Amino acid sequence: MIAVLLTVLSTVAFATGDEKDKLNAKASVEVKMEGAQIFNLIYKGENSEKVDIRIYDESKRLVFSESIKKYDAFSRPYNLSNLPEGIYTVVVKDANGTINKSVENYTSRSSENVNFGLIRFNEVAQDKYKLTIINNGVANAEVKIYDKTGDLLYVKNEKLTGNFALLYNLSLVNAKTVKVRLNGAENTFALN
């Protein structure tokens, strides 16, 4: 039944040979809307034996899952047109950890007004992290940092015009989670 609800259009694998050495140690996941109800998941990791992809509806019910093996990078489209409208959570898990993305599924959405960006939050030194947002055009980003008990430590709204990068020194706080919301999609990063 899940196969009827969600049509996987195709798989494109890339990053072989010398290109593998150039990828970051931690995975990055990009979600790009390709139409009203189709999104493309772009994954880049390092030495990925297996990448698990799960899609949950607003009630946190699993509507689709699959595992992709032996690819350090891939691009995979997903079609949500047979599912009810709403916000879906895409969970991508590999050996390095888990990345969550939100996807809005609405028939009234047109691809012209959707502008998702690539977001990375990488540790560059002890307790120092770099937030990088690759973005085309104008967008708003909200950055929230939480401690291990879930209390909000920091919140900042950034108006982006193109690409953005900022270095965070978290050595004086007990930060555990960082959430970045860009164009309606929330990305969650767990800190070491």
Side-chain angles (χ1 to χ4, degrees), residues 7-15 39-43 51 53 64 66-79:
T7 305
V8 177
L9 300 174
S10 67
T11 301
V12 179
F14 54 96
F39 73 91
N40 199 25
L41 179 79
I42 301 168
Y43 169 86
V51 179
I53 300 165
F64 180 79
E66 72 174 329
S67 294
I68 297 177
K69 297 179 182 179
K70 306 272 186 202
Y71 287 112
D72 290 342
F74 60 85
S75 175
R76 189 144 172 101
Y78 295 90
N79 185 341

Side-chain angles (χ1 to χ4, degrees), residues 70-137:
K70 306 272 186 202
Y71 287 112
D72 290 342
F74 60 85
S75 175
R76 189 144 172 101
Y78 295 90
N79 185 341
L80 303 176
S81 63
N82 290 327
L83 294 170
E85 291 188 351
I87 298 174
Y88 289 79
T89 302
V90 180
V91 179
V92 180
K93 182 178 180 184
D94 67 5
N96 294 314
T98 303
I99 298 174
N100 297 334
K101 298 282 188 175
S102 295
V103 176
E104 296 178 10
N105 179 33
Y106 295 104
T107 56
S108 60
R109 177 183 293 273
S110 68
S111 59
E112 290 79 33
N113 63 15
V114 178
N115 184 23
F116 283 93
L118 175 65
I119 299 174
R120 291 189 181 139
F121 194 81
N122 298 329
E123 186 171 22
V124 293
Q126 178 83 24
D127 295 322
K128 292 177 180 62
Y129 294 84
K130 180 180 175 185
L131 171 64
T132 306
I133 301 175
I134 308 299
N135 181 58
N136 296 327

Side-chain angles (χ1 to χ4, degrees), residues 1-8 55 62-66 79 82-83:
M1 182 172 170
I2 292 174
V4 173
L5 294 175
L6 187 63
T7 305
V8 177
I55 301 175
L62 180 67
V63 296
F64 180 79
S65 69
E66 72 174 329
N79 185 341
N82 290 327
L83 294 170

